[in-house]
Amino acid sequence: MNQISELADGQDPTDLINRMLLLFHLAEFFQKEETKKYSDALRFLEEAELRQPDCLVLSAATPSYLNEPHANNDQKYHHLLRFSFIPKQKLGRDWKAKSKVLAIVPDSLAETELDSESEEDLRHLTSEFTIHEIYTEDNFIDIRIPPEFITVDNPSSVASLSFADIDSSILEIKAFMIWESYSSHKQSTSLLEVLSEYSRNEASKAVCQIIEKIPPTTVPQSAGFSSSPENLLDHAYSSISNLDNSYLPIQGPPGTGKTFLGSSVIRKLLKDGKRIAVTSQSWQVINNLFCATFQRFEEEGEHALLEEIVVHHRDTEPGRKFSDQHHEYAHYINKHKPPRGLYYGELDKDNPTGNPTWYQQKRNPSRREIADPPFPESGKDFHSEAQLLGANSFFLADSGIQQACREPEMQESFLFDYLFIDEAGQYSLAETLAIASIAKNIILLGDPKQLPQVTTANHLHNSGLSVLEHLLGKESNASPEQGYFLGETWRMRPEINNFISQEFYNDMLGTQEVVESRSIEGIRNGVYFSEVTHQDCQKESGQEAAEICRIIRSFVGMNYTEGEDAERLITEKDVIVLAPYGDQVSRIKEELYQKRIKGVKVGTVDKFQGKEAPIAVYSMTSSTPEDIPTGRYEFIFSPNRLNVAVSRAKCVAVIVASPDLVNTQPKSIVDMENLNHICRIFQDTKGTPPLSEAFL
């Protein structure tokens, strides 16, 4: 109570109460997310749906054999069981050797109720296994048996085992589910420490400003912020350089150059000797920002300077991939001499300490000598030396790093000058606060009007908002007092941008003159609605897939102008196709293959944020509101997803959907607002020739 009284001094009691409620529910954020993850996994396993690519349904037959002896490098035997599964299942790419799977062991069902609110209780219902090998053509899978299912002590070999020596409950498993086991313990612990510091008035200035939504502050001589200064890059760099232990949102609507601005500022800060950490929810996003930064150095003829800025030699062999997760950066170093000292901090199950040698030791142990000088012995030590660090939140929330950043005598060595959070519209407030202690200033690159963060649990009192949603509130655009709103797109023609600007950005998003010289001849550039009548389609529609193929063929061969002197013919590579469900993505790819249409990129909306093409086609898939899968109503009509889908297009955006999809009775004001965005497309295209006639 004393702490609350101190905090309440001179403050609006309502604001204080709301803030305390927010802090209380923030403390539960990570636990709720993990619990919901387990709960959803259990329900998938109970339902054992053939159409769920993460769930492998076993046939009625019991495991057929106990495998031949197999020994690893430690001369320990792997005990394997072979399970048959239902033929012709749609399995995702994650179904491969060494992947973790989850299963319900029947005997455990009596221990705990499925609807338990405790993550620990839910874990008792499941067991984790490892795939030894999967044979999709023969429809069977070999699973490594954990020791707890072996009923005999210290078997000398697999050959000495029989089915009688194995817990019979394992033979009754009905399904496996791909499971990426991780723990948010470090983030949760770090977040609780930050919240505790805040309650004691000991948190950093940036943390306090973010929690209390106080506008960012600069040193007195700074010019402050502006939405549209004459020289945006120089102005943003000046503002960021003069941040006074604060934060700064940079809101970048589609095609406004957010990555260019961020990478250009990072280059200048590195030249100033500043230490920078970059994080995001996606490794691809981190890679994109790094590659853009390296490109800025090269454009200025400063590649040699880049090598001096970083501190360790990551790899000396050109073209060698870091890992499959880092393929985009690997593609970059295939063409360029790798910069010195780049480090991606990543925690994995085999190396939970975050030791930076994980790649050398795990991926290619025979080539450890390549690193020169040797990597430090701990991630914390490397953290203290790196000038440019790309890392996920698991690494940045490491207790050793956090402790070092909080100790005054160590702050100078460990604190970064800036933490850049890219795609901050997808980064939770809880996760932001959990890692905020590693840097003096926090830069938030993103757009809350594009794809939201992925959360599964129900978080009360706005505790589940992204950091940008928390800061901007109900406002569509960042105000000059809050930071930067990048107000001109370099991608979309005015016909598309007008829709995007009016529907999502209070009509404040303009177009650069250069985009007006970009066009597809012979057709009205802009947004189209293509009606496709179908019934009983939920997560895939063959009718829409066929219509998309027809649309693509109609565009191929048309004249495309990219600037005054750049004219060429449209090809299949100029089209991207988006869908809300993975099943529809697979159906469209299958249809394209059968029609021998090659080069078209197809994916979910979530996969294509940041991408662009002259033509974007969006398949909404479901026939009617009643056909929308349970829990996906808001997903389908999400204005954020519609914004991303339409704004991928430079010249023409096509919405392919059943006309019955919008014939629904909204259940709330929010549902009505979301539905209006799609109805606007119908209204705007009413009275104009349909797309089917536009090519005539």
Side-chain angles (χ1 to χ4, degrees):
M1 292 299 294
N2 290 335
Q3 294 173 351
I4 295 177
S5 298
E6 292 176 5
L7 287 172
D9 185 28
Q11 299 182 26
D12 186 335
T14 302
D15 290 342
L16 174 64
I17 292 172
N18 288 333
R19 194 180 309 143
M20 299 304 293
L21 287 170
L22 171 64
L23 299 180
F24 175 80
H25 291 292
L26 276 174
E28 301 178 318
F29 180 87
F30 294 107
Q31 181 184 4
K32 281 189 172 183
E33 283 296 305
E34 287 210 16
T35 302
K36 186 61 165 58
K37 180 183 178 183
Y38 272 99
S39 177
D40 289 345
L42 284 169
R43 285 183 166 80
F44 277 130
L45 286 168
E46 282 197 326
E47 297 169 0
E49 292 186 7
L50 293 176
R51 297 168 63 86
Q52 170 55 249
D54 290 337
C55 192
L56 183 71
V57 184
L58 305 180
S59 65
T62 58
S64 57
Y65 80 116
L66 202 63
N67 78 305
E68 296 295 323
H70 177 80
N72 63 16
N73 295 332
D74 298 325
Q75 300 302 311
K76 294 179 180 179
Y77 288 93
H78 293 162
H79 309 297
L80 309 181
L81 278 180
R82 175 166 295 178
F83 294 81
S84 300
F85 59 85
I86 304 295
K88 298 181 180 180
Q89 287 193 241
K90 294 182 178 180
L91 299 180
R93 60 183 180 181
D94 293 330
W95 286 94
K96 54 189 177 183
K98 299 183 180 181
S99 297
K100 299 293 184 182
V101 293
L102 203 67
I104 297 177
V105 181
D107 286 352
S108 67
L109 287 174
E111 298 180 13
T112 312
E113 295 294 329
L114 179 61
D115 58 357
S116 170
E117 297 182 358
S118 169
E119 176 198 340
E120 186 175 344
D121 288 343
L122 290 173
R123 285 180 181 268
H124 290 312
L125 289 172
T126 61
S127 291
E128 282 190 29
F129 301 87
T130 303
I131 299 175
H132 178 72
E133 196 64 67
I134 183 167
Y135 306 89
T136 54
E137 294 184 0
D138 297 318
N139 304 316
F140 62 80
I141 184 172
D142 290 340
I143 298 292
R144 295 185 186 180
I145 309 172
E148 58 264 29
F149 290 97
I150 306 293
T151 58
V152 296
D153 296 331
N154 301 317
S156 59
S157 69
V158 171
S160 69
L161 289 176
S162 67
F163 285 114
D165 300 320
I166 299 175
D167 190 334
S168 60
S169 63
I170 197 174
L171 304 180
E172 301 177 28
I173 293 175
K174 302 300 182 184
F176 292 112
M177 182 176 181
I178 285 290
W179 185 253
E180 184 182 354
S181 182
Y182 73 94
S183 174
S184 59
H185 174 72
K186 291 186 176 182
Q187 292 108 311
S188 183
T189 301
S190 180
L191 173 62
L192 291 175
E193 181 66 24
V194 169
L195 298 181
S196 178
E197 291 173 346
Y198 177 77
S199 69
R200 301 192 305 267
N201 293 324
E202 296 176 359
S204 69
K205 183 178 177 181
V207 166
C208 294
Q209 289 182 332
I210 290 174
I211 291 176
E212 299 174 15
K213 302 183 185 180
I214 298 174
T217 55
T218 61
V219 295
Q221 65 266 29
S222 171
F225 317 116
S226 176
S227 294
S228 56
E230 185 174 345
N231 192 328
L232 179 60
L233 176 57
D234 290 343
H235 196 280
Y237 165 70
S238 175
S239 298
I240 291 173
S241 306
N242 290 306
L243 280 177
D244 183 18
N245 295 299
S246 188
Y247 73 97
L248 180 64
I250 299 178
Q251 183 183 356
T256 54
K258 168 180 67 66
T259 299
F260 176 84
L261 179 67
S263 60
S264 299
V265 170
I266 290 175
R267 166 187 161 268
K268 290 191 173 188
L269 293 173
L270 287 172
K271 290 184 64 177
D272 292 342
K274 304 299 183 180
R275 298 180 66 236
I276 296 172
V278 177
T279 190
S280 181
Q281 289 287 10
S282 164
W283 276 108
Q284 182 177 352
V285 173
I286 297 175
N287 292 340
N288 288 342
L289 186 55
F290 270 45
C291 289
T293 301
F294 304 149
Q295 186 178 348
R296 304 288 87 79
F297 273 97
E298 290 205 332
E299 289 171 352
E300 299 295 328
E302 298 172 339
H303 190 79
L305 179 59
L306 176 62
E307 292 190 3
E308 295 177 3
I309 288 174
V310 291
V311 295
H312 280 289
H313 198 77
R314 172 62 177 175
D315 203 338
T316 60
E317 185 176 344
R320 182 168 161 227
K321 292 186 177 182
F322 284 35
S323 77
D324 293 340
Q325 288 180 303
H326 309 147
H327 61 278
E328 291 211 2
Y329 180 69
H331 177 71
Y332 180 91
I333 67 172
N334 281 336
K335 301 184 296 182
H336 306 273
K337 182 180 178 181
R340 299 169 58 87
L342 173 66
Y343 170 61
Y344 286 91
E346 180 177 83
L347 299 180
D348 59 44
K349 304 177 189 66
D350 298 326
N351 183 23
T353 63
N355 189 333
T357 63
W358 71 272
Y359 171 76
Q360 300 287 348
Q361 295 176 353
K362 180 182 176 184
R363 306 287 179 178
N364 205 336
S366 64
R367 306 175 82 169
R368 297 178 190 176
E369 71 280 0
I370 289 179
D372 182 29
F375 288 109
E377 293 300 319
S378 72
K380 184 177 69 173
D381 294 337
F382 192 95
H383 176 278
S384 69
E385 298 178 4
Q387 281 188 269
L388 179 61
L389 177 74
N392 57 30
S393 64
F394 300 101
F395 179 84
L396 297 179
D398 180 84
S399 58
I401 296 173
Q402 295 289 330
Q403 183 179 358
C405 290
R406 288 187 171 96
E407 295 177 5
E409 66 275 10
M410 303 181 69
Q411 284 187 355
E412 190 65 29
S413 299
F414 279 85
L415 267 180
F416 281 93
D417 296 291
Y418 299 94
L419 169 64
F420 280 73
I421 301 179
D422 203 357
E423 298 298 355
Q426 298 178 291
Y427 216 85
S428 71
L429 173 62
E431 206 161 9
T432 301
L433 296 176
I435 63 174
S437 300
I438 72 157
K440 301 174 185 177
N441 303 284
I442 301 172
I443 311 301
L444 304 168
L445 302 171
D447 182 14
K449 295 299 179 179
Q450 296 189 62
L451 290 180
Q453 62 164 332
V454 179
T455 56
T456 57
N458 181 27
H459 300 284
L460 302 177
H461 210 77
N462 295 329
S463 58
L465 296 179
S466 73
V467 59
L468 282 182
E469 288 174 321
H470 166 77
L471 291 168
L472 299 185
K474 296 182 179 180
E475 298 297 325
S476 298
N477 309 331
S479 69
E481 294 76 26
Q482 293 173 306
Y484 287 92
F485 175 77
L486 308 184
E488 290 188 309
T489 181
W490 296 75
R491 175 190 301 160
M492 300 173 286
R493 279 188 57 86
E495 297 89 342
I496 300 175
N497 186 66
N498 289 342
F499 169 79
I500 296 295
S501 180
Q502 293 169 13
E503 291 298 302
F504 306 113
Y505 300 101
N506 290 336
D507 204 17
M508 293 182 61
L509 183 60
T511 56
Q512 285 281 339
E513 291 184 5
V514 66
V515 303
E516 297 187 20
S517 62
R518 179 183 298 146
S519 67
I520 299 174
E521 298 179 16
I523 190 173
R524 175 183 62 85
N525 291 258
V527 183
Y528 286 88
F529 172 66
S530 180
E531 293 188 8
V532 181
T533 302
H534 48 76
Q535 296 179 338
D536 302 325
C537 294
Q538 297 183 345
K539 295 191 291 185
E540 66 175 86
S541 169
Q543 295 91 335
E544 289 192 16
E547 172 66 4
I548 289 169
C549 290
R550 189 196 67 78
I551 291 172
I552 294 171
R553 283 181 167 173
S554 298
F555 275 111
V556 172
M558 300 184 77
N559 289 321
Y560 174 59
T561 302
E562 183 82 44
E564 296 181 356
D565 301 321
E567 295 184 5
R568 60 178 179 82
L569 298 180
I570 290 286
T571 70
E572 290 87 348
K573 294 181 179 180
D574 293 313
V575 184
I576 59 175
V577 180
L578 308 94
Y581 311 116
D583 286 353
Q584 181 65 354
V585 169
S586 299
R587 184 64 180 265
I588 294 170
K589 288 182 177 179
E590 183 180 343
E591 192 77 18
L592 290 171
Y593 177 79
Q594 292 179 355
K595 299 289 177 59
R596 298 183 178 182
I597 300 175
K598 302 178 180 180
V600 178
K601 294 181 180 179
V602 186
T604 61
V605 179
D606 302 70
K607 296 290 186 181
F608 276 4
Q609 180 160 313
K611 307 297 184 183
E612 62 181 22
I615 303 155
V617 185
Y618 182 36
S619 170
M620 298 196 69
T621 307
S622 301
S623 298
T624 68
E626 290 73 26
D627 291 312
I628 297 174
T630 303
R632 292 297 187 102
Y633 185 93
E634 293 184 0
F635 177 87
I636 283 291
F637 293 117
S638 165
N640 297 66
R641 281 184 166 76
L642 182 63
N643 180 19
V644 172
V646 174
S647 64
R648 299 310 91 195
K650 295 180 179 180
C651 297
V652 175
V654 184
I655 308 296
V656 180
S658 164
D660 295 329
L661 188 60
V662 296
N663 293 330
T664 180
Q665 186 69 34
K667 300 176 182 178
S668 66
I669 298 293
V670 174
D671 288 347
M672 185 181 297
E673 292 175 344
N674 294 345
L675 189 60
N676 281 341
H677 295 300
I678 299 179
C679 290
R680 161 75 186 276
I681 297 176
F682 297 159
Q683 186 64 34
D684 285 355
T685 57
K686 190 176 181 179
T688 63
L691 184 63
S692 58
E693 300 177 8
F695 300 103
L696 299 179

